């Protein structure tokens, strides 16, 4: 109970701001990956280097997609709680 008493709850405004910032950040990351993908093969002669860069970018893009999915799941839980709270 000592830990709970010191716990400060976030306001809905703070949560909304975090949501907005997270969405902007994820969009920025997706744009950066896309830009890297278009520039990754410029001037590269080696097929092995091209394949490596493609694999690295695929890995990064997949990781971002998993992060976005986790974020969406967490946000859905928050929205569900808000809806449930309004019903009560």
């Amino acid at each position: 109970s000592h830990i709970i008493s010191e716990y400060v709850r976030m306001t809905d405004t703070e949560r909304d701001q975090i949501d907005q910032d997270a969405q902007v950040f994820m969009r920025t990351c997706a744009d950066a990956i896309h830009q890297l993908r278009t520039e990754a093969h410029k001037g590269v002669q080696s097929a092995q280097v091209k394949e490596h860069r493609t694999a690295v970018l695929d890995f990064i893009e997949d990781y971002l997609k998993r992060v976005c999915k986790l974020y969406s799941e967490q946000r859905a839980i928050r929205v569900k709680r808000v809806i449930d709270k309004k019903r009560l």
Side-chain angles (χ1 to χ4, degrees), residues 28-81:
T28 302
C29 288
D31 291 344
I33 292 168
H34 178 71
Q35 184 178 3
L36 279 172
R37 197 175 287 281
T38 59
E39 295 178 12
H41 303 302
K42 291 182 180 177
V44 176
Q45 302 298 320
S46 170
Q48 185 178 14
V49 171
K50 288 180 182 180
E51 186 177 328
H52 173 74
R53 288 180 179 178
T54 299
V56 169
L57 288 166
D58 288 345
F59 175 76
I60 294 170
E61 189 172 44
D62 181 62
Y63 186 81
L64 179 61
K65 286 178 182 178
R66 287 183 281 144
V67 168
C68 290
K69 181 181 178 198
L70 181 62
Y71 165 76
S72 295
E73 290 169 356
Q74 293 295 316
R75 188 155 192 261
I77 291 169
R78 177 179 167 226
V79 169
K80 184 181 182 302
R81 286 181 182 163

Side-chain angles (χ1 to χ4, degrees), residues 1-8:
S1 68
H2 177 67
I3 294 172
I4 293 173
S5 65
E6 291 183 10
Y7 177 71
V8 178

Side-chain angles (χ1 to χ4, degrees), residues 4 6-21 78 82 85:
I4 293 173
E6 291 183 10
Y7 177 71
V8 178
R9 297 189 113 195
M10 291 175 59
T11 65
D12 287 337
T13 305
E14 291 171 325
R15 287 186 183 98
D16 291 340
Q17 184 62 48
I18 289 172
D19 284 343
Q20 287 178 339
D21 292 346
R78 177 179 167 226
V82 168
K85 190 185 290 185

